[in-house]
Amino acid sequence: MTYAESLPENIRKRGRIYAYGSTLFGCISEVLLDNSAVIIIYFTMLDGGDMLTMMGTSFIGIAGALLYLPSSMIIVRTGLKPMVLYSCLAGSAGFLLMALSPLIGMTAAKYAALGGCLIYCISRVTFGATWFPLLDAFLRPEDRAGFFSKMRLIYSSFNGVMLFCIGLLMLHNPSIVILQVVIAIAGIAYMGRYLCIARFPENKRDVVDIPDIKKGFGIALRNGPLTSYAVYNGLFTIAYSTLTPLSYLYMNQYVKLNPGTVQIISSAGIGGLIAGYFCYGRLFANTKLKYMELAAHLIFMMTAFTLFLVDGSTCGFAWIAGTVVFFQSVGYSIYMCNNSAELLALARPGNKTMAMAFVLTYSSAGSAISRFGTSLILGTAMLSPVWSCGMRQISSYQTLFLLFGMMLLVLLFLLPTLPSFVPNHDDYYEPKK
């Protein structure tokens, strides 16, 4: 019997409610950086250019690749909840630094904002290493799918309304002050995450993790299904993680859509998250995981090719772009639910924190390579700004969409190696439902 199963239902329910509250306080900043055009537009207003703008979005991957494994060792010494406190303080400070950066002068503002973004991204990694072990104290195996679906549906709905309203404010050439206020509110709200997590029930019975990082890493590395999933996850992240920020940069810098229009299109992405999480918990509950992983892969591949094929001269471009962003977010929501299920299923008992750090290191490295590499390609003009294909003019942004689409097409051949496709391994661990 797991510790969560030994708790009365009212304690488990209270833990889930506080977990929902934690995500509502923390998701504002996460969505602004990951799934919104706000940070992209803010950096362009600070004259950050394509390179610095994409570099800011790459920090979360770089920090994750370097810090997830060391964080698991630090957590053993500090404890889960103290690490959450330090992470929330740092994350809040990072966002406030971004918001206040124009006060030091526009010349240095973009670098100060970039520094604030880096601080926040480091804090997200150290927080992320605590999240699943904290949830495991009150989530039974049979509660996981419904919890993750409902949790993400709640915060996606909240952010969808918020970002749509921000888009309306930005329709008429918004001043930078509006974005500063939005970013500052997100930074202050981030501390609410700790206030909720401090009230989580604690697992005082089981040993949460193996203190020896070398031993824990060895257990994770010898876990064949976990390793195969981690490798695929890293390669898949290289191919998909840049699509959303690059889409917003393409619309804002090349197609020259109004910033408010770009932000409203990004709120369509939040609608995609809501649709994906809603369907995952209700319509796809009995669908095999391998089919859901295939669905996410195909969605990203088709949206990449679509962005390559359309440009500003295409009739109804804004509507097409909104549809693409919507389906990108549907694919992302499916992928995130799949990823949560795989992480909790493949981790060895007693080695969950290290297993999470192991897989997240691969995916973070993939994100860092993809986004930082894209920033260098755009910043150094490595690709021709425009080239001809028959009667069409293809921009460097569209060339990148084609490249990522081709990578996703090739990676389809790795799907049969995933544990969900071949689950009958002797060393495959999956909790009974």
Side-chain angles (χ1 to χ4, degrees), residues 175-189:
S175 69
I176 197 170
V177 175
I178 292 177
L179 298 186
Q180 286 179 270
V181 170
V182 170
I183 293 170
I185 290 172
I188 294 169

Side-chain angles (χ1 to χ4, degrees), residues 145-146 149-150 153 274-287:
S149 175
K150 186 175 181 180
L153 177 63
I274 294 170
Y277 291 135
F278 179 85
C279 292
Y280 199 95
R282 289 156 180 80
L283 302 182
F284 305 145
N286 297 318
T287 304

Side-chain angles (χ1 to χ4, degrees), residues 94-306:
F95 250 70
L96 290 174
L97 176 58
M98 276 195 281
L100 298 174
S101 59
L103 298 180
I104 65 174
M106 292 304 291
T107 302
K110 57 189 175 184
Y111 301 110
L114 204 63
C117 187
L118 176 60
I119 293 170
Y120 168 74
C121 289
I122 292 172
S123 77
R124 265 183 63 179
V125 171
T126 54
F127 171 81
T130 69
W131 182 238
F132 286 108
L134 283 166
L135 295 180
D136 204 44
F138 58 86
L139 275 187
R140 298 174 301 176
E142 60 265 31
D143 296 332
R144 291 168 184 166
F147 169 80
F148 287 121
S149 175
K150 186 175 181 180
M151 177 190 75
R152 287 167 178 149
L153 177 63
I154 290 171
Y155 79 62
S156 297
S157 302
F158 171 75
N159 277 288
V161 173
M162 180 190 69
L163 294 179
F164 183 78
C165 293
I166 293 171
L168 294 178
L169 287 174
M170 294 169 59
L171 275 177
H172 303 289
N173 297 318
S175 69
I176 197 170
V177 175
I178 292 177
L179 298 186
Q180 286 179 270
V181 170
V182 170
I183 293 170
I185 290 172
I188 294 169
Y190 199 69
M191 282 306 300
R193 169 167 274 181
Y194 171 73
L195 297 178
C196 291
I197 290 177
R199 290 163 175 78
F200 279 12
E202 292 188 58
N203 186 343
K204 298 181 179 179
R205 187 191 70 184
D206 301 331
V207 176
V208 175
D209 207 355
I210 296 173
D212 188 338
I213 190 170
K214 183 178 179 181
K215 182 178 179 181
F217 180 76
I219 291 173
L221 192 62
R222 290 190 297 273
N223 186 340
L226 183 74
T227 302
S228 67
Y229 180 71
V231 171
Y232 165 79
N233 212 18
L235 295 173
F236 181 60
T237 307
I238 292 175
Y240 93 83
S241 66
T242 302
L243 291 178
T244 297
L246 186 62
S247 301
Y248 300 142
L249 198 60
Y250 172 55
M251 296 175 212
N252 187 61
Q253 296 287 79
Y254 185 77
V255 182
K256 302 297 184 182
L257 291 180
N258 180 282
T261 302
V262 177
Q263 178 56 31
I264 288 175
I265 288 174
S266 78
S267 70
I270 303 298
L273 291 176
I274 294 170
Y277 291 135
F278 179 85
C279 292
Y280 199 95
R282 289 156 180 80
L283 302 182
F284 305 145
N286 297 318
T287 304
K288 289 185 177 180
L289 186 58
K290 63 181 180 181
Y291 297 128
M292 300 309 300
E293 290 179 329
L294 175 62
H297 197 115
L298 291 175
I299 288 171
F300 282 121
M301 187 175 72
M302 295 309 298
T303 57
F305 284 132
T306 301

Side-chain angles (χ1 to χ4, degrees), residues 411-419 421-422:
L411 287 175
L412 274 176
F413 296 101
L414 281 183
L415 278 174
T417 68
L418 297 184
F421 282 76
V422 280

